[in-house]
Amino acid sequence: MTLIIDPQTSGIAGNMIIGALIDLGADENYIKEIMEKSANEFGEVKVSFEKINKKGIASTYCNVEIIDKGDVMHFDEFIAKIQTLDLDEQIKETSISIFTRIAKAEAKVHGSSLEKVHFHEVGQSDAVADVIGAVSAYYSLKLNEDKIIGLPISVGGGRVKTAHGILPVPAPAVVEILKEGKCVGGPVDSELATPTGCAIYMELVDEIRDFIPQITPLKIGYGAGKKEFDFPNVLRVIQSEKVTNSDEINVIETNIDHLTGEELGYLFDLLLEKGARDVSLVPILMKKNRPGHILKVIAKKESTEQLIDIIFREVGTLGIRIVPNLHRGLAKREFIKKEVEIDDEIFEVTYKVGYVNGNVISSRIEFEDAKKIALQTGIPLKDIINRIGELDE
């Protein structure tokens, strides 16, 4: 299972996450009880849930009414109090990780130590309710067993009033929390992403992508924000079955018109040896009718720089094109060994079997095994592949 958190249009806040997870199926009575019980150890809040319509989208609004915000605490004192709450240890551990993200961001922005951070509006009763409510809903739906994909966060624009005065949007703490995430400004002159919402998002997501991958949606939840815009101010979450596995790759390209066939072959093998996932050479016609090749290399992020260095050194090119962060679908792969009979002789071969959603989409013999049999028996390679190329289930 996969859960996609989609804050691309309306941003993200703690209560929007809770509303979306309630809309997805979390028990609102349980979440209300745990939010109020925990937050009231710090101050006092009253939590309610309402089904509302945001510009045509039916959604759930989580309202956290602050009755007593509570005292401002230093980080160590605050975390010690969280530890005393009557909560499941998983909920406490994840909540503490989220508050630590917020505290580290505040410390970095203000140039103070973690221990001296005053939480202000992100560490009092309402924030306790938001964080613990979101984390409790997450575990109650067993989303810790799913893969969580986050899409880029719209952060809004303009200025916002904080405990530290008027600050630009996104607030400095939000930018610091999202340093390893992805965000985009707009689409309105208003704050769309809060530090609490961003910290919950960054703690829960396993992977951040630019687009929704190939999926089969099962359930969709919408968590409403308080503000009104000319578009639905909702956070969308999509629970789905994935059709394919996928990973993130970079594509490296350059044009070559001066290397010999032997030199191209050497470069081809060297790039594969040094970590390229795939290498291809495409014949092209270049300027002044010169024949040449496009060298195309598929690389994982961690090996990209090394492969680029190799291409510069071996080719002497003056420019390399890099297309970063592409996603490729991956079928599940399994290698199965089997004995086959060819002209009364038994050979052990390996088949590469590909699956999508549990269904076999390919089951071909490994080329080197087919080649070995062809050389040993004298039977043409194409006949070997035709005779035993597919795995019989």
Side-chain angles (χ1 to χ4, degrees), residues 132-311:
I132 290 177
V135 173
S136 298
Y138 166 82
Y139 281 111
S140 73
L141 292 171
K142 301 187 186 306
L143 298 179
N144 54 307
E145 299 174 5
D146 293 352
K147 181 172 184 178
I148 312 294
I149 294 175
L151 302 182
I153 297 175
S154 288
V155 294
R159 296 176 178 84
V160 63
K161 185 177 181 180
T162 75
H164 303 287
I166 303 296
L167 295 174
V169 173
V174 166
V175 177
E176 192 67 32
I177 290 168
L178 293 179
K179 278 169 64 174
E180 296 179 2
K182 291 184 179 180
C183 60
V184 61
V188 290
D189 189 13
S190 180
E191 182 186 34
L192 295 182
T194 67
T196 301
C198 291
I200 296 170
Y201 167 96
M202 290 299 295
E203 185 66 28
L204 299 186
V205 299
D206 300 305
E207 184 180 339
I208 297 174
R209 298 192 181 181
D210 292 316
F211 306 104
I212 296 175
Q214 186 179 1
I215 58 170
T216 302
L218 298 177
K219 293 182 180 179
I220 303 169
Y222 296 95
K226 184 176 182 178
K227 298 176 181 179
E228 294 293 339
F229 302 117
D230 60 359
F231 54 86
N233 182 22
V234 295
L235 172 72
R236 178 171 64 171
V237 295
I238 305 169
Q239 193 171 40
S240 69
E241 291 181 350
K242 288 183 64 179
V243 175
T244 61
N245 295 322
S246 66
D247 66 354
E248 193 171 89
I249 57 168
N250 296 328
V251 176
I252 307 165
E253 287 187 357
T254 191
N255 293 356
I256 302 173
D257 65 357
H258 63 286
L259 297 185
T260 66
E262 291 85 353
E263 290 168 335
L264 288 173
Y266 171 78
L267 176 61
F268 189 103
D269 293 340
L270 179 61
L271 291 169
L272 288 173
E273 180 185 331
K274 296 300 183 180
R277 308 306 296 170
D278 196 9
V279 180
S280 58
L281 288 164
V282 182
I284 57 172
L285 196 63
M286 298 176 60
K287 291 184 297 184
K288 301 179 181 179
N289 296 322
R290 296 196 306 270
H293 294 83
I294 296 176
L295 172 69
K296 180 177 288 188
V297 180
I298 295 176
K300 301 288 283 184
K301 183 178 180 180
E302 57 268 21
S303 59
T304 296
E305 288 302 322
Q306 181 185 11
L307 296 173
I308 290 172
D309 289 343
I310 290 171
I311 295 171

Side-chain angles (χ1 to χ4, degrees), residues 75 81 103 111-112 121 134 193 213-214 238 240 253 259 287 290 302 308 318 355 371-373 375 388 390:
F75 176 74
K81 198 160 186 176
S112 65
E121 65 270 276
Q214 186 179 1
I238 305 169
S240 69
E253 287 187 357
L259 297 185
K287 291 184 297 184
R290 296 196 306 270
E302 57 268 21
I308 290 172
L318 299 179
Y355 301 89
K371 175 183 173 182
K372 180 179 178 181
I373 296 173
L375 292 173
I388 63 170
E390 293 288 333

Side-chain angles (χ1 to χ4, degrees), residues 360-374:
V360 175
I361 59 168
S362 67
S363 57
R364 292 188 289 271
I365 187 174
E366 287 284 76
F367 173 77
E368 291 299 328
D369 287 348
K371 175 183 173 182
K372 180 179 178 181
I373 296 173

